[in-house]
Amino acid sequence: MLQEIGIWVMFFVMTVMVTGIIGDRGVIYKLLTLLAIMLYSIVFGTVRYVIFIWLLYRFSVIYMAFFYFMIGPMFDFLYLVMIYAVFVNRMIGVYDSRKGKEVWKWS
């Protein structure tokens, strides 16, 4: 459980840092991305932890390594990247719009 709490804290820090550096527009998208990542992480992490405990209690501890590597922190990283990719896609739309092109300057 401590590892999952560490993952939640790191996801919060990483999401704030990564979304914070992308321009000055799209604050709603930034907040929605943070909310989506944290909600998904907390809900899915808690449900996964309860299912792990039940499966280990029901069957055997011998499956613990299999559960950890199949649906563990790597899966958390995959959905973090997926939600971030949706965010970046939305931000590209914001900066490709007429108002966004006026603000976004490369020089």
Side-chain angles (χ1 to χ4, degrees):
M1 192 63 195
L2 283 176
Q3 180 184 12
E4 192 63 35
I5 292 171
I7 288 172
W8 293 338
V9 170
M10 282 308 300
F11 277 9
F12 180 79
V13 170
M14 287 172 27
T15 304
V16 168
M17 287 175 39
V18 170
T19 59
I21 63 171
I22 298 182
D24 60 349
R25 292 188 175 256
V27 174
I28 298 295
Y29 291 132
K30 292 177 184 187
L31 291 175
L32 286 175
T33 301
L34 178 64
L35 184 66
I37 287 174
M38 294 313 296
L39 277 176
Y40 191 85
S41 179
I42 290 170
V43 169
F44 184 72
T46 304
V47 169
R48 181 179 61 200
Y49 184 72
V50 169
I51 290 172
F52 279 4
I53 296 288
W54 180 80
L55 287 171
L56 292 175
Y57 173 77
R58 176 87 169 104
F59 297 105
S60 173
V61 181
I62 203 162
Y63 299 109
M64 186 169 44
F66 174 74
F67 292 147
Y68 179 78
F69 289 115
M70 289 305 291
I71 313 174
M74 183 62 177
F75 197 76
D76 289 333
F77 176 74
L78 289 176
Y79 71 74
L80 172 72
V81 169
M82 188 255 330
I83 294 173
Y84 180 69
V86 171
F87 165 73
V88 169
N89 187 26
R90 296 289 182 187
M91 291 305 290
I92 288 171
V94 167
Y95 284 107
D96 266 351
S97 70
R98 186 176 182 150
K99 284 185 177 180
K101 286 185 180 179
E102 294 170 4
V103 173
W104 193 259
K105 295 179 181 169
W106 291 100
S107 59

